[in-house]
């Protein structure tokens, strides 16, 4: 039963939509020639994808000596990018799973695109640990399969091994969850299409009919998948943080890392969702489905998680001082005021100071400010990972091996190229699949459509009636 | 598959559909199926659909995942090829927890999704007969099998409950 609708809540669908109008608005972007801005964006994205392929090819051919890593700093932009991309993915699962469990209706406008973002971000993330291995053709060794080398098994006690399982499970589950949600919408596209297009979407829609029993199973499945994805998403970034936290490097060896990483992941992920949604709603004219109310809700999450991240930074500093442990104290002194001071202050400004602007309601509802801050937060969260990884390694136990690191053109090319990979995938997705979940939006129309506001009492009576009949 | 002669009515509002279903039940007409563009609340109890047991299947798959992960790691690290890592015991249970958890989730999700498609008769490239193309758009469809419900009874019900269209189709 849908919950009674508060009159205080703003409508989530505006423009007096009917069911048919929703279908038209949301499916038509897949049927029309794309707007010119889409074509331009796609060309830029493919260019950067080519840069990615070239730089990765260069790395594989010449070896990771083409990067500027050295004996002291063995993890640089590669692992920074890995953690950054995985973190971005987390917002998609949060929106699709955790908000489903909390029955937040505003998720319906953005969940499809956010889940797609998760999948593409995890694809980007997965590239980095693999190319970081150097001899990528031996990447299969990370999987525990019976082999002729003993059999020699991977080390199950290693957090890097846990990462393999966490990331591959996360990718598989996100993909299944996303695709299963897409099936009814692909059926809608199928039933409007003709000729070859119909054949393609017939294949993709798996023979969906919309039968009552199928919907019931579908909803049950979605709920259980959401229930499983919730601890899964928390576990993934927890395990990523274990890569650092289980080591013995001061500055990494901290128990605060799991919650701090998870909050940071959701923070950066929501920033990326906002960046994408603000562009998508403009490009495909979805202002009636992704409203200012949606943007404000996401900005509230950004404010909350940004503040959690800020508290975590300060807690780290406090504990370093309070521990009385000189190596820990030095690690944090170095982090803030050492050779990489600029990235620390960049991180503090972008992640802690800038989201505080969202305490003001009118600023939360300002599209340009939101867009600007979402980019700033993405930069800030990249800095955070860089700060944790590079500044900590640069000043290790032996002053004689202290070092400095800045990336080579290959590493910069791989990072910019991974953005190309991400946006190429996203732009293709926005053309072949409805970017807003059509069936889910229809399901909330009567409770969250603007023309139904004020009639909620009537609807409650109706539900009551249904209920009595059943008994 | 045996062909079915189906007579179906299309409604444009889910409340009309729910009313029609209630009326069909009170006049003891055997409903073949109901097709909707989105999950309509209150439909399942009206159609006497039992709660889906897919979550029970998910639990079983999850348990299989738990056991697979934990028992394989146990066998590998203690029997097949024991190696000492960092002076820890061969059987380091706390270190096995993350992978055990991940495989539990993986098995449960993959198993449930596959089960869902199989029990719904769906899958890549499967084509199931549909009654009307607008059912995935904005029409709510109530369907009767002509073998169980006479055409006259069905038409009388549709006209008294405000169906927009009544059609027949063999599927």
């Amino acid at each position: 039963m849908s919950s009674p609708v508060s009159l205080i809540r703003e409508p989530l669908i505006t423009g007096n939509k009917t069911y048919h109008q929703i279908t038209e608005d949301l499916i038509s972007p897949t049927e029309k020639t794309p707007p010119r801005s889409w074509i331009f964006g796609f060309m830029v994205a493919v260019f950067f994808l080519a840069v990615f392929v070239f730089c990765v090819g260069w790395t594989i051919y010449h070896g990771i000596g083409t990067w500027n890593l050295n004996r002291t700093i063995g993890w640089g932009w590669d692992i920074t990018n890995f953690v950054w991309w995985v973190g971005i993915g987390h917002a998609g699962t949060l929106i699709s799973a955790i908000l489903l469990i909390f029955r937040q209706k505003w998720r319906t406008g953005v969940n499809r695109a956010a889940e797609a973002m998760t999948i593409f971000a995890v694809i980007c993330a997965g590239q980095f640990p693999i190319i970081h291995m150097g001899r990528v053709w031996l990447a299969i060794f990370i999987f525990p399969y019976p082999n002729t080398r003993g059999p020699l098994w991977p080390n199950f006690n290693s957090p890097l091994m846990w990462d393999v399982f966490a990331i591959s499970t996360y990718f598989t589950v996100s993909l299944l969850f996303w695709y299963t949600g897409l099936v009814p919408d692909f059926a809608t596209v199928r039933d409007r299409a003709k000729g070859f297009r119909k054949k393609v979407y017939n294949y993709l829609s798996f023979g969906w009919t919309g039968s009552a029993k199928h919907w019931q199973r579908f909803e049950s499945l979605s709920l259980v998948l959401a229930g499983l994805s919730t601890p899964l998403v928390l576990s993934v970034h927890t395990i990523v943080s274990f890569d650092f936290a289980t080591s013995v490097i001061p500055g990494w060896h901290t128990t605060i890392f799991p919650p701090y990483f998870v909050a940071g992941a959701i923070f950066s992920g929501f920033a990326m969702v906002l960046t994408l949604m603000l562009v998508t709603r403009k490009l495909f004219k979805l202002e009636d489905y992704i409203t200012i109310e949606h943007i404000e809700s996401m900005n509230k999450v950004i404010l909350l998680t940004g503040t959690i991240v800020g508290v975590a930074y300060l807690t780290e500093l406090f504990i370093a001082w309070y521990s009385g442990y000189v190596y820990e104290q030095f690690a944090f002194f170095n982090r803030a005021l050492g050779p990489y001071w600029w990235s620390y202050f960049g991180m503090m400004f972008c992640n802690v100071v800038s989201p505080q602007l969202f305490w003001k309601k009118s600023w939360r509802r300002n599209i340009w400010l939101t867009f600007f801050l979402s980019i700033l937060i993405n930069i800030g969260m990249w800095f955070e990972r860089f700060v944790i990884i590079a500044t900590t390694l640069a000043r290790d136990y032996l002053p004689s091996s202290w070092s400095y690191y800045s990336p080579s053109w290959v590493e910069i090319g791989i990072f910019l190229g991974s953005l190309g990979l991400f946006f190429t995938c996203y732009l293709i997705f926005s053309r072949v699949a409805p970017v807003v979940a059509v069936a889910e939006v229809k399901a909330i129309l009567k409770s969250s459509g603007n023309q139904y506001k004020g009639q909620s009492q009537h609807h409650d009576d109706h539900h009551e009636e249904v209920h009595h009949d059943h008994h | 598959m045996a062909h079915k002669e189906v007579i179906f009515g299309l409604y444009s509002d889910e409340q009309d559909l729910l009313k029609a279903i209630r009326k069909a039940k009170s006049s003891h007409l055997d409903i073949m199926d109901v097709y909707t563009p989105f999950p309509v609340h209150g439909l399942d109890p009206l159609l006497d659909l039992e709660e889906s047991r897919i979550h029970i299947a998910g639990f079983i798959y999850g348990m299989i995942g738990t056991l697979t992960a934990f028992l394989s790691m146990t066998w590998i690290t203690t029997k097949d090829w024991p190696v000492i890592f960092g002076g820890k015991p061969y059987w380091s249970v706390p270190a096995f927890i993350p992978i055990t958890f991940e495989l539990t989730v993986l098995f449960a999700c993959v198993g449930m999704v596959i089960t869902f498609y199989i029990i719904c008769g769906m899958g890549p490239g499967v084509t199931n007969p549909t009654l009307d193309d607008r059912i995935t758009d904005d029409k709510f469809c109530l369907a009767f099998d002509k073998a169980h419900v006479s055409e006259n009874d069905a038409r009388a019900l549709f006209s008294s409950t405000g169906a927009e269209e009544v059609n027949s189709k063999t599927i």
Side-chain angles (χ1 to χ4, degrees):
Chain A
M1 292 277 146
S2 59
S3 50
V5 187
S6 160
L7 285 173
I8 303 164
R9 293 224 185 262
E10 281 181 55
L12 295 170
I13 305 162
T14 56
N16 302 321
K17 300 294 179 194
T18 60
Y19 292 135
H20 181 66
Q21 192 59 42
I22 292 174
T23 313
E24 282 291 328
D25 290 349
L26 299 181
I27 304 287
S28 65
T30 69
E31 295 167 338
K32 288 190 293 212
T33 323
R36 237 183 239 149
S37 41
W38 185 93
I39 296 171
F40 177 73
F42 189 68
M43 278 158 56
V44 174
V46 170
F47 169 76
F48 279 101
L49 176 60
V51 171
F52 179 78
V53 172
F54 177 77
C55 290
V56 169
W58 189 268
T59 302
I60 293 170
Y61 187 76
H62 293 284
I64 52 171
T66 55
W67 298 357
N68 270 352
L69 297 174
N70 52 52
R71 298 234 328 147
T72 306
I73 305 178
W75 282 359
W77 275 39
D78 49 352
I79 303 300
T80 304
N81 296 338
F82 161 69
V83 181
W84 188 69
W85 276 120
V86 177
I88 284 173
H90 281 44
T93 319
L94 185 101
I95 291 174
S96 60
I98 300 181
L99 297 185
L100 176 73
I101 292 170
F102 286 155
R103 300 277 181 219
Q104 290 294 309
K105 287 184 178 161
W106 62 269
R107 61 177 276 289
T108 53
V110 291
N111 66 343
R112 172 69 44 74
E115 285 168 38
M117 179 196 78
T118 295
I119 288 156
F120 306 140
V122 175
I123 290 175
C124 290
Q127 310 297 318
F128 289 97
I130 292 174
I131 52 175
H132 167 90
M133 291 174 187
R135 287 178 284 175
V136 290
W137 50 95
L138 299 182
I140 47 158
F141 284 17
I142 58 177
F143 291 107
Y145 61 96
N147 54 63
T148 51
R149 306 183 299 277
L152 194 59
W153 301 98
N155 178 5
F156 296 111
N157 301 338
S158 161
L160 300 182
M161 195 62 218
W162 305 343
D163 239 2
V164 172
F165 282 90
I167 302 288
S168 43
T169 300
Y170 185 45
F171 178 73
T172 313
V173 172
S174 304
L175 187 69
L176 292 176
F177 196 5
W178 178 68
Y179 196 86
T180 303
L182 263 171
V183 162
D185 291 353
F186 276 147
T188 308
V189 182
R190 170 197 71 196
D191 290 343
R192 289 163 57 89
K194 293 201 166 50
F196 180 68
R197 240 179 93 79
K198 194 172 189 92
K199 282 211 177 86
V200 172
Y201 282 99
N202 186 39
Y203 191 88
L204 294 175
S205 61
F206 283 18
W208 178 261
T209 56
S211 157
K213 186 69 192 171
H214 293 182
W215 273 123
Q216 187 208 29
R217 288 176 183 145
F218 176 90
E219 285 207 296
S220 180
L221 177 72
S222 304
L223 198 61
V224 184
L225 285 184
L228 286 167
S229 300
T230 304
L232 176 66
V233 70
L234 301 181
S235 84
V236 171
H237 229 60
T238 298
I239 290 175
V240 170
S241 82
F242 283 167
D243 293 348
F244 305 97
T246 58
S247 74
V248 290
I249 310 285
W252 284 5
H253 187 72
T254 45
T255 47
I256 199 177
F257 264 20
Y260 158 27
F261 268 52
V262 170
I266 292 164
F267 181 51
S268 67
F270 266 87
M272 189 58 110
V273 173
L274 278 168
T275 313
L276 288 177
M277 294 324 297
L278 289 174
V279 176
T280 309
R281 78 197 276 271
K282 190 85 197 147
L283 200 62
F284 296 118
K285 300 189 176 56
L286 298 172
E287 284 91 343
D288 284 333
Y289 301 95
I290 303 162
T291 62
I292 300 286
E293 170 70 8
H294 288 90
I295 293 166
E296 192 190 351
S297 302
M298 287 192 273
N299 280 335
K300 283 178 185 164
V301 179
I302 287 213
L303 177 60
L304 173 72
T305 49
T307 309
I308 294 175
V309 166
V311 169
Y313 294 162
L314 299 179
T315 308
E316 274 191 323
L317 290 180
F318 171 77
I319 294 297
W321 167 76
Y322 188 67
S323 67
Y325 179 53
V326 286
Y327 298 101
E328 188 80 7
Q329 285 170 348
F330 173 74
F332 282 90
F333 181 79
N334 172 61
R335 188 174 278 185
L337 302 169
Y340 289 107
W341 64 270
W342 47 271
S343 57
Y344 188 81
F345 282 91
M347 165 189 104
M348 275 295 190
F349 176 76
C350 298
N351 294 350
V352 184
V353 181
S354 74
Q356 300 306 319
L357 293 179
F358 285 147
W359 284 104
K360 194 168 154 66
K361 187 177 170 101
S362 62
W363 290 354
R364 284 200 298 270
R365 301 172 72 89
N366 183 318
I367 290 176
W368 285 106
L369 182 72
T370 302
F371 188 71
F372 177 70
L373 283 189
S374 73
I375 305 263
L376 211 60
I377 290 165
N378 276 314
I379 296 171
M381 285 308 292
W382 190 90
F383 270 133
E384 181 201 291
R385 278 64 182 253
F386 183 74
V387 163
I388 291 172
I389 293 168
T391 66
T392 310
L393 290 174
R395 294 286 176 270
D396 65 358
Y397 293 104
L398 276 180
S400 61
S401 46
W402 285 1
S403 168
Y404 192 77
Y405 156 84
S406 44
S408 71
W409 64 269
V410 184
E411 292 170 272
I412 297 171
I414 293 175
F415 173 59
L416 295 178
S418 70
L419 289 165
L421 171 63
F422 176 79
F423 282 104
T424 305
C425 293
Y426 185 79
L427 287 169
I428 292 176
F429 151 75
S430 72
R431 291 280 307 134
V432 299
V435 285
V436 175
V438 184
E440 288 185 43
V441 167
K442 284 177 192 162
I444 66 159
L445 177 69
K446 292 259 166 102
S447 61
S448 301
N450 64 327
Q451 75 272 38
Y452 295 98
K453 282 285 161 184
Q455 297 180 12
S456 51
Q457 193 52 48
H458 165 77
H459 277 280
D460 288 347
D461 290 349
H462 227 103
H463 282 306
E464 216 67 58
E465 202 181 311
V466 172
H467 219 71
H468 285 310
D469 257 35
H470 179 52
H471 291 290
Chain B
M1 202 168 76
H3 286 286
K4 276 184 192 169
E5 293 276 335
V6 180
I7 180 161
F8 61 96
L10 296 176
Y11 298 83
S12 10
D13 194 287
E14 65 269 32
Q15 300 301 342
D16 295 340
L17 174 84
L18 293 177
K19 272 182 215 155
I21 294 171
R22 256 170 276 162
K23 186 148 187 202
K25 275 179 76 179
S26 61
S27 30
H28 303 289
L29 298 180
D30 188 8
I31 296 170
M32 185 189 102
D33 208 342
V34 172
Y35 302 92
T36 56
F38 58 85
V40 173
H41 286 284
L43 191 58
D44 299 353
L46 271 186
L47 292 175
D48 300 322
L49 293 182
E50 278 174 41
E51 197 198 341
S52 168
R53 283 165 297 168
I54 199 161
H55 54 273
I56 300 171
F59 180 78
I60 294 166
Y61 297 131
M63 283 299 107
I64 294 171
T66 311
L67 292 175
T68 306
F70 195 78
L71 296 181
S72 338
M73 282 189 286
T74 299
W75 174 74
I76 286 167
T77 55
T78 61
K79 292 274 180 296
D80 190 51
W81 194 281
V83 179
I84 295 176
F85 292 109
K88 302 289 194 302
Y90 293 132
W91 198 51
S92 331
V93 176
F96 296 166
I97 300 299
I99 293 179
T100 307
F101 172 76
E102 298 301 328
L103 285 197
T104 304
V105 172
L106 183 70
F107 275 53
C109 290
V110 173
M112 265 197 308
V113 169
I114 293 173
T115 307
F116 169 75
Y117 286 126
I118 290 174
I119 57 179
C120 291
M122 291 166 62
V126 171
T127 308
N128 288 323
T130 52
L131 292 175
D132 193 291
D133 279 351
R134 289 165 299 167
I135 290 169
T136 54
D137 176 9
D138 61 344
K139 293 286 180 265
F140 301 82
C141 170
L142 172 60
F144 296 106
D145 188 343
K146 281 188 191 165
H148 302 297
V149 174
S150 80
E151 181 156 351
N152 288 338
D153 286 351
R155 283 189 187 277
L157 176 89
F158 288 138
S159 64
S160 68
T161 51
E164 290 212 330
E165 271 180 43
V166 180
N167 292 316
S168 294
K169 194 172 177 180
T170 309
I171 58 171

